[in-house]
Amino acid sequence: MPIRVSLDRILIDRRMSLTELADRVGVTVANLSILKAGRARAVRFSTLAALCRELDCQPGDLLVYEPGPAEEPEDEL
């Protein structure tokens, strides 16, 4: 997938654990782990906003587009 999630780097910069972030945002550690590993297929804007609020960052700090080989189009938006 051409979208890379930089959550691990930001957590290190903020000296915050995934568990602490999960508690602050109201998302399970399991779901944040999926996002951190780049395996999430979607992220709600409300979750993205809460992550940005708690990490004091912008969405572009968390998500980076890295073009690569052409991929099959997805049905979801």
Side-chain angles (χ1 to χ4, degrees):
M1 176 176 282
I3 302 294
R4 182 175 47 84
V5 180
S6 301
L7 184 56
D8 53 350
R9 180 185 51 79
I10 293 175
L11 286 171
I12 290 168
D13 291 347
R14 304 297 191 273
R15 294 188 171 109
M16 186 183 298
S17 70
L18 199 62
T19 303
E20 181 181 352
L21 181 61
D23 289 342
R24 288 182 176 196
V25 173
V27 177
T28 66
V29 174
N31 283 338
L32 279 185
S33 293
I34 290 168
L35 179 63
K36 182 179 163 194
R39 294 189 320 261
R41 295 187 47 88
V43 179
R44 292 176 188 230
F45 280 170
S46 59
T47 302
L48 184 58
L51 289 169
C52 289
R53 180 190 70 232
E54 294 302 325
L55 295 170
D56 189 30
C57 68
Q58 295 294 312
D61 298 329
L62 289 169
L63 305 172
V64 179
Y65 175 72
E66 293 180 341
E71 293 187 16
E72 301 261 335
E74 294 187 20
D75 294 336
E76 297 178 39
L77 240 183

